[in-house]
Amino acid sequence: MPQPSDSEEVLTSSTLTRRERSPRKLFLVGGLLLSYFIGGFINNPMTNSIVDLTLAWVDDHTHRIDPYIGNSVDISERDGHYYSGMPPGLSVALIPCYLLAKPLLAALGPARVAAMNAALNQGVQKKFSIYSAAERLAMPKRLEGILTLILGTLLIGIPATLISAALLLNLLRDVPLGVASAWVGFALLFTPLGSFSATLYHNTLAALALWWAYYWISNRKNLLIAGLLAGYAPTLDYVSALYLCIIALFAFTELWRRHRDLTATLQFFLACAVPLALLGL
């Protein structure tokens, strides 16, 4: 059997080194670019309803968002009380972001926070509110909610997108590195993957969770994490429950019917049930 020449070995080593370093470059360049476009749905009626639930959980220890609803129409009402009309998954993920925002808010001081909240309430668009201008001006914690969404975009939305891009780059490992990088770069900059990640769009996060689950099922690795992510997706976007059924069928076919791996099959499906059970779906 012919042995590779020294030049071939050097070329292979160089190619592998560049391939191994490419996710780091991807995170650096992609993170900077996506962070520049951050915004969009911040202080939007949809995401306001999501972060309002986070504020209510942390500060009020309740599901009711009565004090905060003047900034959104994505709400539900029952027995005179108001609740978020959005799935709870992203509200859960934003809890650490809000806790991280609290020291920043404390550093600003109560007077400055109150003044900034008043200015933000002035900017709430009337068409998105079911309340009068006077009631909107009295709405609390707009700065808290907006800062939480900004941190959520930086710490959840953009990293989730970049991790997904790195997994895609790994799937394209047999494609020349320049071509693979071009495909991934195009996906980040010219498809909804990049634009929605910079806005913390809950549908995009659900799609990424299902994509990660599919990737790990295909590789038969990290099946507990794959199951948790697959089960978490419908808590981010209710429509994802339909796609979860497809992922579950794929997992059953891949793990059991094809490989007869009972342990792996149980790992995935039991993990998948955990977020669905915890969040009451």
Side-chain angles (χ1 to χ4, degrees), residues 146-165:
I146 290 174
L147 183 56
T148 300
L149 288 172
I150 292 174
L151 290 174
T153 305
L154 292 173
L155 301 178
I156 299 173
I158 292 175
T161 300
L162 295 176
I163 291 171
S164 300

Side-chain angles (χ1 to χ4, degrees), residues 22 33 72 81 86 97 113 127 130 153-154 163 195 229 276:
S22 57
L33 289 173
S72 177
H81 293 287
M86 303 301 294
C97 299
V113 169
K127 65 179 180 179
I130 61 175
T153 305
L154 292 173
I163 291 171
S195 57
L229 289 171
L276 296 174

Side-chain angles (χ1 to χ4, degrees), residues 202-224:
H202 67 289
N203 301 52
T204 302
L205 293 176
L208 295 182
L210 291 171
W211 154 241
W212 292 358
Y214 168 80
Y215 176 86
W216 280 317
I217 294 169
S218 300
N219 290 275
R220 297 174 63 203
K221 296 178 180 178
N222 301 319
L223 294 174
L224 284 175

Side-chain angles (χ1 to χ4, degrees), residues 52-218:
D52 288 345
L53 181 56
T54 302
L55 301 178
W57 276 339
V58 174
D59 293 338
D60 307 327
H61 310 293
T62 179
H63 297 294
R64 298 170 180 172
I65 60 170
D66 296 351
Y68 315 112
I69 57 173
N71 60 17
S72 177
V73 294
D74 283 309
I75 57 177
S76 302
E77 186 271 336
R78 182 176 181 180
D79 298 331
H81 293 287
Y82 294 92
Y83 304 86
S84 174
M86 303 301 294
L90 185 52
S91 299
V92 172
L94 285 174
I95 289 176
C97 299
Y98 182 38
L99 295 177
L100 184 61
K102 281 183 172 292
L104 302 176
L105 295 164
L108 289 174
R112 187 170 297 175
V113 169
M116 296 177 73
N117 269 320
L120 290 168
N121 287 337
Q122 288 276 8
V124 174
Q125 300 182 48
K126 184 177 180 180
K127 65 179 180 179
F128 292 139
S129 179
I130 61 175
Y131 291 105
S132 68
E135 289 170 319
R136 290 199 305 276
L137 290 176
M139 188 176 57
K141 299 183 181 178
R142 285 318 315 132
L143 178 62
E144 289 87 332
I146 290 174
L147 183 56
T148 300
L149 288 172
I150 292 174
L151 290 174
T153 305
L154 292 173
L155 301 178
I156 299 173
I158 292 175
T161 300
L162 295 176
I163 291 171
S164 300
L167 294 181
L168 177 59
L169 194 63
N170 187 55
L171 281 180
L172 299 173
R173 57 185 174 270
D174 294 329
V175 177
L177 183 59
V179 176
S181 299
W183 286 1
V184 173
F186 180 86
L188 282 176
L189 297 178
F190 300 105
T191 72
L193 176 64
S195 57
F196 284 155
S197 73
T199 57
L200 199 64
Y201 197 53
H202 67 289
N203 301 52
T204 302
L205 293 176
L208 295 182
L210 291 171
W211 154 241
W212 292 358
Y214 168 80
Y215 176 86
W216 280 317
I217 294 169
S218 300

